Amino acid sequence: MAKSKKSKKESKLIYIPFIIFVVILAFLIILPSIKPPTTQASESFPFLHFVKVSNQDYASSPNIVDVYLVSWEGCPYGATQSWSLYLALSHYGKINVTPTWSDPEPLPSPTGGVSTPMQVPGLLFQTFIPNGSVHFHFFYMIGRMFTNNDSISLTNGTIVPYSGDSIVTLEQQELQKDVPNWVYNLIAKYELNTPFGQYPNLADAGNPPHIPTAILITGPNGTWMIIGYDQTLNSVAPYYFATSGYTPQELYGNISKGVIPKVNVTSNPYAYAQLETTSYIQEEAQQILNVIKEAM
């Protein structure tokens, strides 16, 4: 007997959770390496969107908001987030950065597939001098990844080979040495100790396995976290950065003056990607500012 239309429709619905999982997982498997924020349950998973992960204030001093970036120098997601971080934190102090390119990696594309390897323009943070109650800290666990010959660079430029989970082990050691316990504990909780689909944790879902970029913001009203870039604002933001035609130096020349580049849509082959890029920078900067204000 032929199945009814209703039963066919219901049978197809069982695949929806699987499809959603595959789309999310692709962001980490392919890369070697998210509207105003809303307070979510403390146990929510802060992957690709900001989540309040604790009511605890872990800041270094009373009435201080500490912002932490944990990344690696070649990360496309770290490069994507760097512009909004710079724009937001420029309200709270003087920032010294170096414009740079991320490692060339395939990026999720608007068509649902992945691109050829591309570089994302970004900023490497060097120093931050606060002018008030918001302090910014950044930590790069490693330098670059060279997947063509299974090696990475350390932040001092030394090249070392990797295999299996050796990058994760190295990053753990560096984190335990150089960041506050609360930063390491939250990274470990969400990236190392929580199962992720078929993987034992989020870090092992990477190719090669590594600890993904994260931003943590803590203050008197609690602690927020995001792993990766803010997908709720633009699901393929790194792709638009990479295809915008902007060089890191060109973007920095504008952002360092607090100016968002104006996009000329007339006879400009990069116009759409540039509009998406500049929109993301502004919206994510406001997102970060909103989280900082919630934490105060």
Side-chain angles (χ1 to χ4, degrees):
M1 179 181 294
K3 291 184 179 180
S4 68
K5 291 183 179 180
K6 181 178 180 181
S7 64
K8 288 181 180 179
K9 182 177 180 181
E10 289 175 346
S11 66
K12 291 179 181 179
L13 291 177
I14 66 173
Y15 295 104
I16 292 176
F18 175 76
I19 293 169
I20 293 172
F21 167 75
V22 168
V23 170
I24 294 175
L25 187 58
F27 283 93
L28 281 177
I29 294 177
I30 295 163
L31 293 178
S33 40
I34 329 171
K35 332 181 178 193
T38 56
T39 298
Q40 301 187 27
S42 61
E43 294 301 318
S44 296
F45 197 68
F47 180 51
L48 301 176
H49 66 288
F50 273 105
V51 169
K52 187 176 185 181
V53 295
S54 175
N55 290 320
Q56 181 71 37
D57 176 7
Y58 296 109
S60 53
S61 302
N63 301 315
I64 290 292
V65 172
D66 279 328
V67 180
Y68 275 83
L69 168 68
V70 175
S71 188
W72 51 280
E73 291 179 356
C75 181
Y77 289 178
T80 300
Q81 290 285 62
S82 66
W83 301 100
S84 301
L85 268 172
Y86 182 95
L87 191 60
L89 292 168
S90 62
H91 293 267
Y92 298 107
K94 183 178 180 180
I95 314 172
N96 182 32
V97 298
T98 300
T100 189
W101 291 99
S102 77
D103 291 347
E105 301 297 342
L107 302 173
S109 74
T111 61
V114 295
S115 70
T116 57
M118 293 181 174
Q119 291 179 289
V120 176
L123 299 171
L124 290 180
F125 294 96
Q126 305 295 339
T127 60
F128 177 78
I129 302 174
N131 60 16
S133 61
V134 176
H135 295 180
F136 175 50
H137 317 267
F138 47 90
F139 181 72
Y140 297 107
M141 298 172 285
I142 60 173
R144 302 280 176 166
M145 290 190 191
F146 309 108
T147 54
N148 61 325
N149 62 2
D150 295 341
S151 65
I152 63 170
S153 69
L154 307 181
T155 54
N156 63 7
T158 302
I159 305 296
V160 297
Y162 70 78
S163 63
D165 283 351
S166 65
I167 298 176
V168 178
T169 300
L170 173 62
E171 291 173 327
Q172 279 186 271
Q173 293 170 347
E174 294 299 305
L175 284 171
Q176 289 173 315
K177 220 171 33 173
D178 292 312
V179 301
N181 287 338
W182 71 268
V183 173
Y184 175 79
N185 290 339
L186 286 173
I187 293 286
K189 176 179 179 179
Y190 292 106
E191 301 195 30
L192 301 174
N193 300 332
T194 301
F196 186 79
Q198 69 190 70
Y199 298 93
N201 54 53
L202 189 56
D204 272 2
N207 182 24
H210 67 284
I211 295 176
T213 289
I215 298 172
L216 304 96
I217 300 174
T218 190
N221 289 320
T223 302
W224 284 255
M225 183 177 181
I226 180 175
I227 301 168
Y229 68 96
D230 199 333
Q231 194 189 41
T232 65
L233 298 177
N234 192 314
S235 62
V236 293
Y239 175 89
Y240 288 123
F241 275 81
T243 59
S244 68
Y246 289 132
T247 66
Q249 293 76 14
E250 181 182 1
L251 261 183
Y252 177 61
N254 285 273
I255 302 298
S256 62
K257 301 171 185 175
V259 177
I260 300 296
K262 292 183 178 180
V263 179
N264 181 5
V265 297
T266 304
S267 302
N268 180 359
Y270 304 111
Y272 186 77
Q274 289 179 354
L275 287 170
E276 292 292 313
T277 296
T278 55
S279 175
Y280 182 87
I281 292 173
Q282 294 176 90
E283 291 178 10
E284 178 67 348
Q286 188 58 55
Q287 175 93 308
I288 293 168
L289 288 171
N290 289 347
V291 175
I292 289 172
K293 290 175 183 177
E294 284 196 56
M296 288 179 169

